[in-house]
Amino acid sequence: MNLEDERVGPKAAEDEIPQLAGRTKGLSLRAVLPNAITAAALCSGLTGIRFAISGQWREAIIAVILAGVLDGIDGRIARLLKAQSRFGAELDSLADSLSFGMAPALILYLWTLQDLPRLGWFASLAFAICCALRLARFNAQIDTDEQPHKSAGFLTGVPAPVGAGLAFLPFYLWMATELEEFRNPVFMGIWMALIAFLMISNVATLSWTSIRPRKNVRLELIAGVGILFAALLQEPWWTLAVISGGYLLLMPYGMMKYGRVRRQRAAPLTEPADVTGLSG
């Protein structure tokens, strides 16, 4: 095995070059950039807690959403720059646990769950713990070759950033409608427990690689993304609520789609017909 083979994979960055004796090498910017974005996502998520302590609920939710956007960028930039590393994977999971587990749990507790101090705190703890467990499961399976969901282009359970976004759904509706029913701590506690369960479940969920629109709807898809972005600027809370609801509605479709893929893989190969005994 040569040095290049030893560096491939998540255990080391692909741009790490062996040091020669008596020669110094500066730090590559492309190796730092993805981890810097991850650190920015962590700071954004934790800043959401600071806003919540001050009662700035809108800013608190936006800070966590911004952390989700940054979290979606860092991994893609790392792959683009070929700067994947075990350190980056561990830092990303730690940041996700804090930004999408602890931060939403505390924000929602301060927003409404503190009206039921005991049950509300248990709901917050359940959400934060389930997020950490999901990320621990992901880390434990990084080097596992046998991952049926991943090999088929699906995810196992609801991803941590998506889970945080779904947990905020009652807040989106509260901001859009100003109805205090959406701020009910009992309803909020049950909702958080449900999302926590979905994060650690073995349900196959859609990933970007499993969504493959037909080529003949390319222009319509581009137009739809543009309209969605405009809607986020005009009616952010209704748009976020619709996005969250759409994801939940797509979950049964994802499970059915994965079921079809699994049945196709399990189906035995059809034996070719024996034509040697046929007379001419």
Side-chain angles (χ1 to χ4, degrees):
M1 181 181 291
N2 55 34
L3 288 175
E4 183 66 23
D5 292 334
E6 292 178 356
R7 293 199 306 273
V8 172
K11 295 182 181 298
E14 293 183 4
D15 60 354
E16 289 179 1
I17 302 175
Q19 297 291 325
L20 300 178
R23 181 181 176 183
T24 60
K25 186 73 175 181
L27 184 64
S28 173
L29 179 61
R30 69 175 184 176
V32 175
L33 182 59
N35 294 329
I37 296 176
T38 303
L42 173 60
C43 292
S44 182
L46 294 181
T47 302
I49 300 176
R50 182 260 178 189
F51 284 130
I53 293 174
S54 302
Q56 299 172 274
W57 309 119
R58 181 194 302 263
E59 291 77 5
I61 301 301
I62 291 177
V64 176
I65 293 175
L66 177 60
V69 173
L70 294 174
D71 179 73
I73 293 174
D74 59 0
R76 287 166 176 78
I77 290 181
R79 289 188 290 272
L80 180 64
L81 299 179
K82 297 182 179 180
Q84 304 100 315
S85 66
R86 170 67 74 176
F87 174 82
E90 296 294 340
L91 177 62
D92 185 73
S93 292
L94 177 61
D96 286 357
S97 179
L98 296 174
S99 297
F100 310 124
M102 185 181 75
L106 291 177
I107 291 172
L108 292 175
Y109 178 80
L110 294 172
W111 178 57
T112 181
L113 291 174
Q114 63 178 342
D115 293 339
L116 293 176
R118 294 183 180 178
L119 295 179
W121 184 241
F122 281 134
S124 296
L125 285 178
F127 185 86
I129 291 173
C130 287
C131 182
L133 291 175
R134 176 194 161 72
L135 294 166
R137 179 178 64 183
F138 173 80
N139 283 355
Q141 295 177 345
I142 285 181
D143 297 325
T144 302
D145 295 329
E146 185 62 27
Q147 297 188 51
H149 290 169
K150 185 176 180 180
S151 63
F154 292 82
L155 302 174
T156 303
V158 173
V162 177
L166 293 177
F168 290 143
L169 178 56
F171 179 86
Y172 305 151
L173 296 173
W174 177 71
M175 289 292 295
T177 64
E178 297 184 356
L179 293 176
E180 289 299 320
E181 287 79 3
F182 293 114
R183 201 174 182 176
N184 185 289
V186 176
F187 168 71
M188 191 70 242
I190 296 174
W191 179 252
M192 287 187 69
L194 175 61
I195 301 302
F197 170 77
L198 290 177
M199 283 196 293
I200 62 173
S201 68
N202 290 319
V203 174
T205 56
L206 294 171
S207 68
W208 288 109
T209 57
S210 64
I211 302 176
R212 296 180 179 274
R214 296 189 302 273
K215 292 183 178 180
N216 59 355
V217 297
R218 179 178 57 184
L219 296 180
E220 291 83 352
L221 182 62
I222 295 174
V225 173
I227 293 173
L228 180 64
F229 182 76
L232 281 171
L233 296 177
Q234 293 291 322
E235 293 289 343
W237 305 115
W238 275 119
T239 305
L240 289 170
V242 169
I243 292 174
S244 300
Y247 182 90
L248 292 172
L249 292 176
L250 282 175
M251 287 187 65
Y253 168 75
M255 289 185 285
M256 291 187 295
K257 186 176 181 181
Y258 176 72
R260 289 196 300 267
V261 173
R262 187 174 59 179
R263 287 192 296 271
Q264 290 173 359
R265 291 185 172 186
L269 297 176
T270 304
E271 293 293 337
D274 185 5
V275 296
T276 56
L278 296 178
S279 57

